[in-house]
Amino acid sequence: MCGIVGYVGSKPAVDILLDGLEQLEYRGYDSSGIAVKCDDAIKVYKAEGKLSNLKEELAPHAYEISKATMGIGHIRWATHGAPTVVNAHPHTCGCGKLVVVHNGIIENYKELKAKLEEKGCKFRSQTDTEVVAHLIASIYGEVKDLAKAVQLTTKQLEGAYALCIMHNDEPNKLVVTKRNAPLVIGVGENEYYVASDVPAIIKHTKKAIYLTDNQVATITPDSLKLEDVNEQELTPKIEVLPWEPVALSKMGYKHFMLKEIHEQPDVIRNILVGKLHTSDSPIVLNEVKLTRNTLKELNRIQIIACGTSLHAAMIGKYIIEDFCGIPVDVEASSEYIYRKTVTDSHTLVIGVSQSGETADTLTAIKQSKAKGSHILIITNRPDSAMAREADSLIPVSAGIEVSVAATKSYIAQLTSFYLLALYMAEIKGTMSEEDLNKIKSEMLLLPQKIEQILAHKENIQTCARKYSNTRDFIYIARGINYPTALEGALKLKEISYINATGYPAGELKHGPIAMLDETMPVLSVLMNGKVYEKLLSNSEEAKARNAKMIALTNSSDQKLDDLFDYIIRVPEVDELLSPIVAMVPLQLIAYYIAEFLGKDVDQPRNLAKSVTVE
Ligand code: AGP
């Protein structure tokens, strides 16, 4: 989703802004732009599409803009108005002296626009953001102080925003503010950086200030003044960022997605260090701040999440219910926030999010917190807005995930759910020691099993090529792997744009079976365990309708050779842990199909990595 950058200092601003935008590309965007302060005017440049188009646009002006040492930049993921040059940010006020970049949605922009039009403002774009530029400029005309104009403006704005603003009459000054959208300020030596996310600043500085909602920062090369919207001065809290720039390299892989799939064995190892030592030692999960007594008495859990994180949550439900006997509800955050939810101080609410910034999940978390629930957040970003809402925080430590399609963060979320479920089961005494030890010893072997799959990925690549020429793809599974089927389908549709759907296999004959014929690939996630035979029968039913049958299995059953057209074998694993092992080939199938079809694997069309608007 949109990304903001800003710089004020003494270095050439254009390169810093463009590089910052490049580091935010993973968020997903469809146009871009920058504004820089030149000798006596602010110059604005914008382009549709990729950043390379903006660079082409800038090339003829290279000399003119090379001396600028202050500027703002933006990549836009269109919400209001098509992804055109005129709708791209930065947006200016009528006279062009004030420029704004914005991430979020101004919900009351229509009313504000009508009032500004009455005053004579002429609008050029269809965006909600242009309203902000005109409104600040109109207030600035009265108060002649940029920070004050921003403070007064924000009192009129409804919705979500991170804003970075500059004015030609206030040289060497950026004003930034935010509400329900991320914004970080990097602190350098006589220079400051502004960004929607850490990757845009990490190569310049590790010192940063996370702005909280309704704070306004006024930045010059050698000063930072932090205030609230009522001009009360606040003390900025400078933090040291726990990120390394090297994390953003593809390390020789063709795409970030492929690199991130290959990182998964180490991601699991890193999570287990310090938490699961041996099969017979208890799980250490100091991150859970609920007392043992509260955990013992806990009788209800709600998990809220979106997309891939929602699929991890569904598996979380399965294992918490299985291991601990606690009823768990799982719901898409976007649904949760618009109904009457029965949540109270006796409910543990778990929010799951790679980014920790997903607007729907953040809102849902805030709603439950207001009702007194204990909030446990499972996130890959311990520096995120959701993490700051947490009573208990389980950082999944997958390292920064650049590819829009989530892979390693999903495996990390699952691993964290297993640890949490085992931890609670130990405290509640709901599993036998033998069962606990069996799962724990198998968990310790998971990294090796994934390494075995990755070492023999050619078979998966061949399968992907064989079925890449299809318009539709069905994934079926039962029990604990039903969410695996959903996630496999989501991965494929996200990056290849093939219409892929996951079904609980028992539901096939209640409707979807009507779609089956010799053109339809059906992939069956067939793991040894209690639903194996049932799923085998469902696969027979699909075969009888001439579907092209693919098995993803850990079974050595000979009869599979007759039933399936293609078989991908994975190492043997306990059914309860099979979602982790089964997911890796499904990620690779999606990857190789998209790569074979020549799609933009890491930045699929229309998608954003951090969905910071509802
Ligand atoms: C995953 O591949 C997707 N890009 C998407 O579904 C994602 O999982 C969803 O937007 C939720 O994001 P979050 O985990 O950062 O909250």
Side-chain angles (χ1 to χ4, degrees):
M1 209 134 275
C2 301
I4 286 178
V5 294
Y7 175 74
V8 58
S10 54
K11 295 179 189 148
V14 175
D15 292 346
I16 292 171
L17 297 174
L18 287 175
D19 180 70
L21 291 177
E22 235 165 72
Q23 304 306 322
L24 297 181
E25 274 190 305
Y26 72 89
R27 295 168 74 84
Y29 71 106
D30 34 44
S31 61
S32 62
I34 62 165
V36 283
K37 172 81 174 84
C38 295
D39 287 341
D40 55 358
I42 290 175
K43 306 273 183 190
V44 179
Y45 304 90
K46 313 189 210 186
E48 279 178 32
K50 293 285 178 192
L51 275 176
S52 53
N53 299 346
L54 179 64
K55 288 181 187 165
E56 271 177 35
E57 179 67 27
L58 291 171
H61 310 279
Y63 180 71
E64 191 185 350
I65 57 179
S66 62
K67 295 196 198 87
T69 56
M70 173 172 92
I72 59 180
H74 191 266
I75 47 173
R76 173 173 185 254
W77 187 83
T79 57
H80 296 65
T84 57
V85 170
V86 76
N87 287 333
H89 301 211
H91 285 285
T92 59
C93 63
C95 68
K97 281 186 167 185
L98 181 137
V99 283
V100 175
V101 287
H102 167 220
N103 169 25
I105 289 180
I106 307 299
E107 285 165 4
N108 60 335
Y109 83 103
K110 282 191 180 148
E111 298 101 86
L112 294 171
K113 187 173 177 177
K115 284 187 200 158
L116 288 161
E117 278 174 333
E118 268 173 34
K119 285 187 179 175
C121 289
K122 297 267 180 279
F123 283 80
R124 292 167 289 250
S125 74
Q126 290 88 51
T127 64
D128 51 335
T129 305
E130 195 182 348
V131 164
V132 182
H134 287 285
L135 190 54
I136 303 174
S138 131
I139 297 174
Y140 184 81
E142 292 159 27
V143 300
K144 301 285 181 227
D145 179 294
L146 187 57
K148 195 165 183 179
V150 171
Q151 282 157 336
L152 292 169
T153 298
T154 59
K155 291 183 176 178
Q156 296 189 44
L157 301 181
E158 288 168 20
Y161 53 79
L163 297 166
C164 186
I165 306 128
M166 59 184 193
H167 196 295
N168 197 50
D169 293 347
E170 303 216 9
N172 287 325
K173 185 186 284 181
L174 292 180
V175 176
V176 294
T177 187
K178 64 148 272 185
R179 187 195 297 159
N180 292 334
L183 200 74
V184 59
I185 300 173
V187 182
E189 290 293 325
N190 297 321
E191 59 180 3
Y192 289 91
Y193 301 81
V194 177
S196 298
D197 199 1
V198 170
I201 61 172
I202 191 69
K203 67 169 73 149
H204 306 292
T205 179
K206 283 190 133 194
K207 287 196 281 180
I209 299 163
Y210 286 98
L211 230 56
T212 59
D213 285 356
N214 303 316
Q215 291 184 332
V216 179
T218 306
I219 314 165
T220 68
D222 46 20
S223 71
L224 184 144
K225 185 177 179 192
L226 192 65
E227 293 171 294
D228 65 15
V229 286
N230 298 315
E231 297 179 62
Q232 288 299 310
E233 197 156 345
L234 307 164
T235 309
K237 188 177 154 215
I238 300 182
E239 298 179 28
V240 178
L241 298 170
W243 296 104
E244 293 301 330
V246 72
L248 302 182
S249 149
K250 282 189 205 148
M251 310 289 276
Y253 288 97
K254 188 170 176 189
H255 294 101
F256 278 108
M257 182 177 175
L258 192 58
K259 174 196 157 212
E260 287 159 5
I261 291 171
H262 279 79
E263 284 171 348
Q264 294 178 125
D266 282 341
V267 166
I268 299 178
R269 282 189 187 104
N270 288 343
I271 296 175
L272 297 187
V273 168
K275 295 186 168 65
L276 171 58
H277 299 283
T278 57
S279 57
D280 53 2
S281 55
I283 302 284
V284 181
L285 210 51
N286 297 331
E287 290 86 349
V288 177
K289 302 298 180 200
L290 288 160
T291 63
R292 293 177 78 86
N293 276 346
T294 314
L295 275 175
K296 271 186 190 161
E297 283 157 23
L298 195 68
N299 56 13
R300 185 159 181 244
I301 296 178
Q302 287 182 335
I303 316 181
I304 37 194
C306 299
T308 290
S309 299
L310 181 62
H311 299 151
M314 291 168 78
I315 290 175
K317 168 188 163 75
Y318 194 103
I319 52 174
I320 292 172
E321 289 186 342
D322 193 287
F323 293 3
C324 315
I326 306 172
V328 183
D329 300 320
V330 174
E331 193 163 355
S333 320
S334 51
E335 291 300 316
Y336 183 93
I337 56 185
Y338 293 113
R339 68 177 184 85
K340 186 175 168 191
T341 45
V342 187
T343 309
D344 58 22
S345 55
H346 303 294
T347 311
L348 168 64
V349 172
I350 304 179
V352 192
S353 173
Q354 188 286 127
S355 64
E357 300 287 351
T358 300
D360 287 323
T361 308
L362 187 56
T363 306
I365 289 302
K366 286 180 178 171
Q367 286 180 357
S368 325
K369 194 170 180 176
K371 289 181 181 168
S373 306
H374 184 98
I375 305 293
L376 188 153
I377 298 291
I378 297 178
T379 182
N380 196 28
R381 297 297 300 265
D383 53 346
S384 62
M386 256 179 249
R388 285 189 282 275
E389 296 292 329
D391 298 308
S392 297
L393 173 64
I394 303 188
V396 302
S397 312
I400 198 151
E401 189 174 64
V402 176
S403 169
V404 167
T407 53
K408 62 176 179 172
S409 63
Y410 176 73
I411 293 298
Q413 288 167 346
L414 292 188
T415 309
S416 300
F417 265 121
Y418 282 101
L419 288 172
L420 178 64
L422 288 169
Y423 175 74
M424 292 197 296
E426 281 177 347
I427 289 174
K428 289 175 83 69
T430 45
M431 275 175 94
S432 71
E433 206 170 315
E434 191 189 342
D435 287 347
L436 277 167
N437 293 358
K438 181 165 184 289
I439 295 287
K440 286 195 246 176
S441 63
E442 285 233 20
M443 273 187 81
L444 291 164
L445 297 175
L446 285 171
Q448 284 159 252
K449 294 188 177 173
I450 297 178
E451 272 160 359
Q452 282 173 39
I453 296 169
L454 294 171
H456 300 101
K457 57 184 184 281
E458 295 73 23
N459 184 36
I460 300 169
Q461 193 169 11
T462 309
C463 176
R465 291 221 164 163
K466 189 170 157 93
Y467 297 101
S468 59
N469 188 21
T470 180
R471 289 183 55 187
D472 307 285
F473 212 115
I474 287 179
Y475 293 72
I476 56 172
R478 295 187 76 140
I480 196 167
N481 277 305
Y482 165 47
T484 309
L486 295 179
E487 176 59 10
L490 179 66
K491 284 288 87 71
L492 184 61
K493 64 187 145 198
E494 277 188 296
I495 59 171
S496 72
Y497 320 142
I498 290 170
N499 175 33
T501 314
Y503 292 107
E507 281 294 301
L508 263 193
K509 53 179 148 322
H510 298 286
I513 203 165
M515 296 187 295
L516 303 190
D517 62 17
E518 63 288 347
T519 66
M520 182 72 84
V522 174
L523 188 149
S524 188
V525 185
L526 192 58
M527 296 290 138
N528 281 322
K530 57 182 165 199
V531 290
Y532 177 86
E533 291 297 337
K534 294 285 169 205
L535 183 54
L536 206 55
S537 306
N538 300 135
S539 304
E540 296 272 11
E541 289 158 11
K543 173 85 173 172
R545 272 79 191 175
N546 296 324
K548 297 270 173 280
M549 299 304 297
I550 307 161
L552 170 61
T553 187
N554 54 359
S555 162
S556 48
D557 192 344
Q558 292 301 313
K559 62 178 180 273
L560 301 190
D561 296 339
D562 295 333
L563 173 52
F564 289 96
D565 301 290
Y566 206 100
I567 299 179
I568 296 169
R569 288 210 151 81
V570 292
E572 179 50 30
V573 61
D574 188 290
E575 186 182 26
L576 287 165
L577 288 170
S578 64
I580 290 188
V581 168
M583 195 56 226
V584 179
L586 299 187
Q587 295 167 340
L588 286 168
I589 286 178
Y591 172 79
Y592 284 122
I593 289 181
E595 192 244 2
F596 185 62
L597 295 175
K599 304 295 183 202
D600 189 349
V601 172
D602 285 333
Q603 291 168 29
R605 69 183 184 201
N606 304 340
L607 289 183
K609 182 76 179 162
S610 269
V611 183
T612 50
V613 296
E614 283 183 13

